[in-house]
Amino acid sequence: MTVHAIIGGTGLTELPGLTLLEAIPMQTPYGPPSADIVRGEYAGREVLFLARHGHPHRVPPHQVNYRANLWALKRAGAQAVIAVNAVGGIHSTMGAGHLCVPHQLIDYTYGRDHTFFEGDIEHVTHVDFSYPYDEPLRQRLIAGLAAERYLFSSHGVYGCTQGPRLETVAEIARMERDGCDIVGMTGMPEAVLARELELPYACLALVVNPAAGKSSGVITMAEIEAALAEGIVKVRAVLARALAG
């Protein structure tokens, strides 16, 4: 039975029927992860949770220790990873509250520790990253969304920017020309590190605001927080379906 890990905010540990068993402090060769790993039991299955930005939420996207996070989850027994990401909507269908299971991504980040294969290694390793998300795991999330009858997109291109600032109108225009449908700050290098560890990985993206230039007003944190609070209820329901499936 596959042990799934969920990376996202601390609110994801509030699934109905979830029993929290323990918090596991971890040390890794890459430093400490963002937070203790929380182990729980849901529908008779072991589930692991990790708060990507720490608990409380205080680690900005460009300073998340992605290598430590993924290494710690695998060491704790994770066999697959579901990432929950708050994103901005670029495509016209991606309004606030919309859910997307991306099938591709473009990495615009820089200066992040993006591989395990460096330093004192025996040989150079190149992983195939043509399709960054695991298709069977994507399909489980899609089935969960369909069962809940939420508005969602079964495909999308995730553009990952450096942060922590939001993007300019010109940057979003460029990303749209590149083919991006949503924009976030945490999708990479998380996805490729999971691939290097041979962990199936998929993303459930919650749109919390229109991207820069996609609305008539400025983007406010109050707007983002309100959409996140409303959308996390949907995310929990989808995760419950996916984990029980």
Side-chain angles (χ1 to χ4, degrees):
M1 193 173 295
T2 302
V3 177
H4 287 84
I6 298 172
I7 304 176
T10 55
L12 298 179
T13 59
E14 298 173 11
L15 295 176
L18 172 70
T19 301
L20 298 179
L21 301 175
E22 63 176 333
I24 309 170
M26 298 284 288
Q27 289 297 322
T28 84
Y30 309 98
S34 296
D36 290 349
I37 294 171
V38 176
R39 187 170 70 89
E41 187 175 280
Y42 179 81
R45 301 169 184 243
E46 182 179 358
V47 185
L48 302 172
F49 296 89
L50 179 62
R52 183 187 286 113
H53 297 282
H55 184 49
H57 185 119
R58 61 187 177 188
V59 184
H62 67 296
Q63 292 185 325
V64 171
N65 193 336
Y66 296 97
R67 291 195 299 183
N69 286 353
L70 270 298
W71 192 95
L73 285 171
K74 179 149 188 177
R75 184 65 179 270
Q79 296 169 303
V81 176
I82 297 173
V84 177
N85 302 81
V87 300
I90 298 176
H91 193 280
S92 59
T93 60
M94 305 286 180
H98 194 79
L99 289 157
C100 177
V101 184
H103 71 294
Q104 276 294 336
L105 63 80
I106 300 177
D107 187 10
Y108 298 93
T109 66
Y110 51 88
R112 301 185 181 190
D113 292 326
H114 63 281
T115 181
F116 293 108
F117 299 126
E118 63 180 11
D120 186 16
I121 56 177
E122 294 182 1
H123 57 84
V124 176
T125 302
H126 303 282
V127 295
D128 178 24
F129 204 50
S130 302
Y131 301 96
Y133 301 110
D134 180 75
E135 191 59 26
L137 197 50
R138 275 191 2 96
Q139 291 302 323
R140 291 184 70 166
L141 292 172
I142 291 167
L145 285 158
E148 291 294 327
R149 302 191 178 189
Y150 295 140
L151 291 175
F152 72 96
S153 296
S154 61
H155 291 78
V157 178
Y158 181 125
C160 188
T161 57
Q162 181 71 356
R165 67 167 178 85
L166 298 176
E167 301 73 31
T168 69
V169 172
E171 287 169 334
I172 292 299
R174 180 189 70 162
M175 294 177 72
E176 187 169 28
R177 291 193 298 271
D178 288 347
C180 296
D181 300 300
I182 52 178
V183 55
M185 302 175 188
T186 55
M188 282 292 284
E190 196 172 87
V192 73
L193 292 170
R195 179 64 52 85
E196 289 186 350
L197 291 175
E198 299 181 342
L199 287 170
Y201 178 97
C203 167
L204 178 60
L206 169 65
V207 180
V208 295
N209 62 275
K214 295 300 178 179
S215 68
S216 57
V218 298
I219 301 169
T220 68
M221 288 309 300
E223 172 190 14
I224 291 173
E225 288 168 2
L228 188 58
E230 183 176 342
I232 203 68
V233 176
K234 298 179 184 177
V235 168
R236 289 185 197 131
V238 174
L239 290 176
R241 294 268 191 183
L243 293 172

